[in-house]
Amino acid sequence: MEVLVHHYAPLVAIFLPILSSFFIPIIGRFHSKLGAYFATIILLITMGTSVMLLPIVLDCECLHLIYPWAEGINLQFEIYADALSVCMLLLTSFLCLLAAVYSIHYMAQKEGGARYYSLFLLLSGSMMGVFLSGNLLQFFMFLELTTISCFLLILHYQTTAALKSAYKYFIMIHLGALCLLTAIGTIYVNVGELSMASLGKLLSNVNGEWLTAAMALTFVGFGIESAVVPLHVWLPDAHSNAPCPVSAILSGLMVKIGIYGLIRFFYGIYGFPYAWGSTIIILGALTAFIGVICALVQTDAKRLIAYHTVSQLGYMIMAFGTGTTLGLAACLTHLANHTFFKALLFFVVGAVIYKTGTKDMDRLGGLRKYMPVTFICGLVASMAIAGIPPLNGFFSKGMTTQAVFEVSPVMSSIAIIVGVMTLLSFTKLLYMIFWREKSLETDKRMSMKRRIPASMKVPMIALATCCVGFGLFAHQYLEKIISPIINGLNLEGELYLPSIFMPSPLTSLSYVGIVFAGVVWLKRQRIIAIMSHKPFSALHHCFKEELGIDAAYSRLAKSVVSVFERGRSIMSGHLRDYVAYLAALLFVLFLYIALLRGFQWTF
C-alpha cells in the first residue's frame, strides 16, 4: 500500500484535476450544478492524496520519481516531493476545495458555468504540477498552464475591465516567464542538466557570470509572479475584476508560486546570494509600504484587499531576503497564514457582493445585522492580517520583524509601520461595510437580495477556524511542519515564535502600534479634514493613482505598440527577406551562446 502511495499519489494529485477538466462541459449539459459537484469531488480526492503524502515527507523522506517520457531526446517526467512541495500541495488542494464549494451557489446564476469549472480544475492541477515538478522544463510547462487558465478565469465575466486586467496579467506574467525560460536555457547550455535533484550538486561549486545572469533573470521572473514593486501593476486589477473564488485562489495561492520558486531555486539549486540580501530586503520593504499606502485610499473593497496582497508579499520577500533560517521559517509561516486570511477576506467580500450586488464601500453600511456570520469571519480575518494576538498573523509577522531586525533594524521598523497601516485599512473596511449606520440604499438592497447559503458560509468558517487554530497552536505548527521543511533544505538554526505574555522589544512596539492605530481611528474625522487640504490632497491622489507606476507602464506599452506598427513596413511578403531575418536571429542566438561560454569552444 505504501509503495502505491509513493508512486501514484503524486500523479493522481496532478493529472486527476487536469484530465477531469475535459469532462466538465459534458457533465454540465445534464444539470447546471453537476459540474460544480463533480469538481468538488475531484478536489476532495486530490486533497486525500496530499494528506497521504504528508507523513511520508515530514519524516524527511524525499520522493524523487522518474517516469519515461520522450526517451529519444532523453526527456523524463520527474516528481520531486519533499516537505516543502507536499505542504504547498496540501495548501493548494485545501483552498481549491473550499473555493469550489463556495462557487456552487456564488457562480450558480452566472453564465459559462461549465467553462468556469473546467478552467478551475485545470488551474488546480497545473498548480499542483508546479509544486511537484522535478525538472526545470516540466516546472516551466506547468507554470505556463497556470498562466493560461488564470488568464481565462480573470476574464470570465467578459466585461471591459476584466478584459483589460486579464491582458495586463497575461503580458506581465509572460515577461516574467520569458526571463525564467532564458535562465533555464542558460543553465542547460552550461551544465546540460535540468533535473532539480542534480542541479543543486552541480552548481554548488560553479562560479561565473552566466550563473549570476541566470540568478538575476530567475529573481525578476519570480518577482513579477509575486508582485514585487515596481513589477506589481497586474495584481490589483486582476484580483479585483476576477470572480471572488478566483480572487481567493489568485491571492491565496497563485502569487505564492513566485515565493515558492524563489525558495526552491535559491535554496535548492543556486544557493542563496547573500550579497543580494540587503537589496532584496529593501525591495520587500518598498513592496510592503507602497502596497499598504495604496490600499488605504481605496473605496473598492476587492481592490483594497488586492493591494494588501502586494503588501503582505512584501513581508515574505523581506523575510526571504534575510537569508537566515529564522527568516526562511518566517517566510514559509506567513505564506501559509496569508493563504488563510486573505482567501477568507475575498470570500467575505464575495458574500457582501452576493447579498448587495456591490463592492463599493461608500454604498454599504450596517451589514453586521444582516450578515452576522460574514461579519465575524471578516473580523477574524482582519485581526489576523493586522497581526492581532493570538491569531496566526501575529506570530508570522512577529517572526518576520525579528528576522529582519537581526539583519537590518531600519527595515524592521518599516515592517512595524506597515503593520499599523494594515490595522487602519481593515478597521476602515469593517467600519464602512459592517458597522456604520446603514443608508436607505442599503435597506433597499437588503430587501431585494437573497440569504447567504451554507455552501458559502462553510468555507468562510473553515478558514476563520484556521486563522484561530494556526495562532493558538503556532508552536506545534512550527515544530511539526516548518522544521521538517527547513531540515529538508539543509539549513540549521534556532526557530522561535514571539511570545504574547513575555513580549520582546519588537512585539512591544507592535502593541504600541495597535494603540496608535486606535487613536488615529478615534481622531479620523479631524485627520480626514486635514488630509483634504494641500499638500495632503495631492498625496492622496498620487497614491490613488498608484504613484504613476501603472501610467508609466501604459505609456511604455503604447510606445512598444507604435514601434511594432512601424515595423510592419519590413514585412514585404518576399521569402528572401524572411530568410535573411531568420539568419540574423540565429546569428544573435549564436553570439549569445558564445558569450555565455566565454568563447571557450573546442572543435
Side-chain angles (χ1 to χ4, degrees):
M1 181 65 182
E2 189 174 346
V3 174
L4 291 175
V5 172
H6 278 212
H7 284 274
Y8 295 108
L11 294 177
V12 170
I14 296 171
F15 290 109
L16 181 62
I18 292 175
L19 295 177
S20 298
S21 67
F22 295 100
F23 293 97
I24 293 286
I26 301 171
I27 295 170
R29 290 186 176 184
F30 296 98
H31 193 277
S32 59
K33 286 188 178 179
L34 273 181
Y37 296 135
F38 178 73
T40 303
I41 292 169
I42 292 298
L43 290 168
L44 185 61
I45 296 170
T46 304
M47 183 177 170
T49 61
S50 306
V51 171
M52 287 191 292
L53 283 170
L54 189 62
I56 297 171
V57 297
L58 289 182
D59 290 335
C60 296
E61 181 181 349
C62 178
L63 300 180
H64 184 209
L65 308 174
I66 299 175
Y67 305 90
W69 182 17
E71 295 181 353
I73 54 175
N74 197 28
L75 279 180
Q76 297 170 325
F77 189 87
E78 292 186 57
I79 296 291
Y80 190 81
D82 60 358
L84 173 60
S85 57
V86 173
C87 286
M88 293 299 298
L89 186 73
L90 183 58
L91 206 60
T92 301
S93 57
F94 175 67
L95 185 54
C96 286
L97 175 61
L98 293 183
V101 173
Y102 187 92
S103 299
I104 291 173
H105 277 91
Y106 186 84
M107 301 298 295
Q109 306 301 321
K110 311 289 194 303
E111 294 183 0
R115 180 180 72 248
Y116 172 84
Y117 286 106
S118 180
L119 290 169
F120 193 92
L121 282 178
L122 185 63
L123 174 62
S124 304
S126 56
M127 283 192 292
M128 295 175 198
V130 168
F131 297 133
L132 289 174
S133 287
N135 71 62
L136 301 186
L137 180 60
Q138 182 182 319
F139 179 93
F140 181 80
M141 291 171 64
F142 279 116
L143 189 62
E144 280 294 282
L145 198 56
T146 63
T147 301
I148 293 167
S149 50
C150 257
F151 164 72
L152 295 172
L153 282 169
I154 292 168
L155 57 79
H156 178 76
Y157 289 147
Q158 299 182 8
T159 61
T160 302
L163 189 65
K164 289 177 67 176
S165 59
Y167 275 105
K168 183 188 289 187
Y169 164 83
F170 191 80
I171 292 169
M172 289 292 292
I173 295 298
H174 270 90
L175 287 173
L178 181 61
C179 292
L180 185 60
L181 183 61
T182 307
I184 292 172
T186 303
I187 292 170
Y188 185 72
V189 165
N190 285 275
V191 180
E193 181 62 71
L194 291 172
S195 175
M196 292 183 179
S198 303
L199 281 172
K201 298 175 183 177
L202 290 173
L203 297 180
S204 59
N205 296 318
V206 172
N207 291 309
E209 293 182 358
W210 69 267
L211 183 59
T212 304
M215 293 170 70
L217 288 167
T218 301
F219 184 82
V220 172
F222 288 125
I224 294 176
E225 190 83 32
S226 53
V228 175
V229 170
L231 307 172
H232 69 290
V233 293
W234 62 270
L235 190 149
D237 293 330
H239 291 207
S240 59
N241 288 301
C244 277
V246 176
S247 299
I249 296 296
L250 283 170
S251 193
L253 293 172
M254 269 298 296
V255 293
K256 310 296 172 47
I257 290 177
I259 303 297
Y260 170 83
L262 288 173
I263 295 171
R264 177 64 75 195
F265 276 68
F266 283 93
Y267 281 94
I269 296 177
Y270 298 132
F272 188 80
Y274 289 97
W276 299 5
S278 298
T279 303
I280 295 174
I281 292 173
I282 291 170
L283 283 173
L286 188 65
T287 301
F289 186 74
I290 289 179
V292 75
I293 284 290
C294 291
L296 269 170
V297 299
Q298 301 300 319
T299 56
D300 181 315
K302 287 187 71 177
R303 199 168 182 84
L304 182 149
I305 298 170
Y307 272 113
H308 273 289
T309 299
V310 176
S311 181
Q312 298 302 306
L313 286 166
Y315 272 102
M316 297 176 217
I317 295 296
M318 290 172 73
F320 168 80
T322 62
T324 63
T325 303
L326 179 62
L328 183 57
C331 178
L332 290 166
T333 307
H334 199 57
L335 185 153
N337 290 341
H338 179 265
T339 297
F340 299 134
F341 55 65
K342 188 51 66 70
L344 177 55
L345 285 165
F346 274 114
F347 284 169
V348 166
V349 173
V352 171
I353 295 171
Y354 184 87
K355 183 80 171 176
T356 66
T358 183
K359 56 181 178 173
D360 186 352
M361 294 189 292
D362 287 334
R363 301 169 65 187
L364 296 169
L367 295 186
R368 72 186 186 281
K369 298 177 182 178
Y370 300 97
M371 309 171 69
V373 174
T374 304
F375 168 64
I376 292 171
C377 291
L379 179 62
V380 170
S382 299
M383 291 173 65
I385 193 173
I388 305 296
L391 299 175
N392 59 349
F394 169 79
F395 295 100
S396 56
K397 292 176 86 169
M399 288 174 68
T400 300
T401 306
Q402 183 64 46
V404 175
F405 180 79
E406 293 175 0
V407 178
S408 174
V410 175
M411 292 296 107
S412 67
S413 64
I414 293 178
I416 294 172
I417 292 169
V418 170
V420 174
M421 291 181 174
T422 302
L423 179 59
L424 287 172
S425 292
F426 284 98
T427 306
K428 168 186 172 180
L429 182 140
L430 290 173
Y431 174 77
M432 294 183 73
I433 295 178
F434 295 103
W435 199 260
R436 66 178 176 174
E437 289 301 317
K438 60 184 181 296
S439 63
L440 293 175
E441 183 180 0
T442 304
D443 274 332
K444 185 178 178 181
R445 289 177 182 278
M446 292 304 101
S447 64
M448 294 171 59
K449 294 296 178 179
R450 49 200 181 261
R451 292 184 177 182
I452 305 300
S455 64
M456 292 174 65
K457 289 180 181 178
V458 169
M460 289 192 286
I461 294 170
L463 288 171
T465 304
C466 289
C467 290
V468 176
F470 277 73
L472 295 177
F473 301 100
H475 289 83
Q476 289 83 345
Y477 176 68
L478 186 69
E479 179 184 349
K480 302 294 185 182
I481 304 295
I482 299 299
S483 291
I485 295 176
I486 297 296
N487 293 335
L489 295 170
N490 299 317
L491 295 175
E492 295 181 356
E494 184 182 2
L495 299 182
Y496 54 90
L497 291 169
S499 173
I500 297 172
F501 303 105
M502 297 179 63
S504 67
L506 283 173
T507 54
S508 298
L509 280 174
S510 298
Y511 290 136
V512 172
I514 292 170
V515 174
F516 174 74
V519 172
V520 169
W521 181 252
L522 290 173
K523 300 292 183 180
R524 63 188 181 280
Q525 298 296 343
R526 182 173 178 79
I527 293 171
I528 290 171
I530 294 172
M531 295 292 289
S532 62
H533 299 293
K534 291 182 179 180
F536 298 108
S537 59
L539 279 174
H540 182 278
H541 177 75
C542 185
F543 290 128
K544 190 82 172 177
E545 295 298 321
E546 201 178 300
L547 303 174
I549 297 173
D550 196 20
Y553 276 110
S554 297
R555 288 193 294 270
L556 177 62
K558 288 178 181 178
S559 301
V560 172
V561 170
S562 176
V563 169
F564 276 100
E565 285 179 348
R566 293 177 183 177
R568 289 179 182 176
S569 59
I570 67 172
M571 300 300 173
S572 62
H574 296 296
L575 180 61
R576 63 177 183 274
D577 294 334
Y578 297 133
V579 171
Y581 301 153
L582 181 61
L585 179 61
L586 290 173
F587 175 76
V588 171
L589 289 174
F590 176 81
L591 185 62
Y592 173 72
I593 294 171
L595 288 171
L596 288 178
R597 290 183 175 272
F599 297 100
Q600 296 177 5
W601 296 90
T602 57
F603 295 91

